[in-house]
Amino acid sequence: MFSLTPVLVAVVCILIAWIFKNADGNMERRKGETRARTKAQPWVDEDLKDSSDLHPVEEDADDWQDSEESVEHIPFSHTRYPEKEMVKRSQEFYELLNKRRSVRFISNEQVPMEVIDNVIKAAGTAPSGAHTEPWTFVVVKDLDVKHKIREIIEEEEEINYLKRMGRQWVTDLKKLRTNWIKEYLDTAPVLILIFKQVHGFAANGKRKVHYYNEISVSISCGILLAALQVCVLPTLPRRQTQYSMAKQ
Ligand SMILES: Cc1cc2nc3c(=O)[nH]c(=O)nc-3n(C[C@H](O)[C@H](O)[C@H](O)COP(=O)(O)O)c2cc1C
């Protein structure tokens, strides 16, 4: 008997989930001839749906296009470490990441721009659906712009706490002693805004679907947090929905 490593088990589970999802999709397709084609979006997971997915990219026969970009081949280079070294490295990486904390009191000490560039480059190495790389990173250092962002976020966050989140969510947050006041958005030397691109544009100007954009950007954010932790820079992740930004 062979035993599956945890990593392999995870991969197998994902494959199984994918196969079932497709099997379901095929049955649905057979049943529902009448269903509009634009509704078939297997890459939008139910539990990852948000307001951006309410406007599916319209598809019709004329929109089909061949993959036009010829992608440069980057050879895979690989160092195989002895088992002991792998254990040591994984343990050290875990210990480093285990020191990460969401920090809500941040010093205004400046950070070299090269560091910010490097961590964003690291985040940009993330895998993405069909290699669409559906992210935009925006670095904000200007005091006035940071303050404007703080105003937008606080205005929305107050509505979140008072109306949108509901009693249970607000109660669950009590232990963190958070509220809608975010001084750190003024004091932090750098804000990194990460936008997900729900679609892109091909060279011919046609819309290009960004499959699994939400989950791809989330993975990229995870890598960004890890890269910042490698530099022992404090971070605070937060998610901002599009309604507040759309106002601007
Ligand atoms: C998607 C996401 C959204 C978050 N939003 C907020 C937020 O709006 N305000 C905040 O103070 N912390 C926010 N956090 C931080 C969490 O509260 C924090 O990660 C959690 O309490 C665990 O603490 P730790 O990060 O120190 O391990 C968010 C974290 C994630 C992943």
Side-chain angles (χ1 to χ4, degrees), residues 100-102 104 157 176 178 182 236-239:
R100 185 201 55 78
R101 293 290 177 278
S102 289
R104 296 174 183 89
E157 196 75 331
L176 299 179
T178 56
K182 318 272 178 197
L236 175 64
R238 58 160 290 119
R239 182 181 190 279

Side-chain angles (χ1 to χ4, degrees), residues 67-226:
S67 180
E68 60 198 329
E69 285 118 330
S70 55
V71 181
E72 188 202 344
H73 176 72
I74 302 171
F76 175 60
S77 65
H78 179 62
T79 311
R80 173 92 198 178
Y81 291 110
E83 248 178 55
K84 239 177 146 177
E85 179 65 16
M86 274 197 267
V87 171
K88 181 172 165 279
R89 291 170 73 94
S90 58
Q91 178 70 25
E92 284 171 359
F93 191 61
Y94 160 67
E95 282 168 13
L96 176 67
L97 288 198
N98 195 31
K99 289 191 183 126
R100 185 201 55 78
R101 293 290 177 278
S102 289
V103 177
R104 296 174 183 89
F105 299 94
I106 296 180
S107 112
N108 60 2
E109 221 174 296
Q110 288 303 313
V111 180
M113 205 45 213
E114 208 178 337
V115 171
I116 302 300
D117 285 346
N118 284 338
V119 293
I120 290 176
K121 278 195 261 176
T125 66
S128 60
H131 195 47
T132 46
E133 302 180 304
W135 43 66
T136 302
F137 292 85
V138 176
V139 176
V140 178
K141 297 178 82 176
D142 183 89
L143 293 180
D144 292 339
V145 180
K146 281 195 299 178
H147 189 66
K148 187 83 196 140
I149 290 168
R150 175 180 172 183
E151 283 176 348
I152 296 168
I153 287 179
E154 285 186 343
E155 189 188 326
E156 286 300 328
E157 196 75 331
E158 184 172 358
I159 305 172
N160 286 343
Y161 273 83
L162 299 180
K163 293 189 184 151
R164 295 192 189 109
M165 293 187 326
R167 259 178 43 203
Q168 185 60 60
W169 193 342
V170 173
T171 307
D172 288 345
L173 281 174
K174 271 194 180 147
K175 60 177 179 289
L176 299 179
R177 299 195 185 92
T178 56
N179 58 31
W180 56 85
I181 309 295
K182 318 272 178 197
E183 289 103 340
Y184 52 80
L185 293 172
D186 274 327
T187 42
V190 177
L191 304 182
I192 304 179
L193 313 188
I194 304 149
F195 295 85
K196 73 173 182 186
Q197 305 166 0
V198 292
H199 67 82
F201 290 99
N204 61 8
K206 284 193 172 173
R207 275 183 183 218
K208 200 171 73 165
V209 176
H210 281 175
Y211 310 96
Y212 296 123
N213 54 69
E214 175 98 11
I215 198 161
S216 303
V217 174
S218 306
I219 293 170
S220 172
C221 291
I223 295 177
L224 181 75
L225 290 175

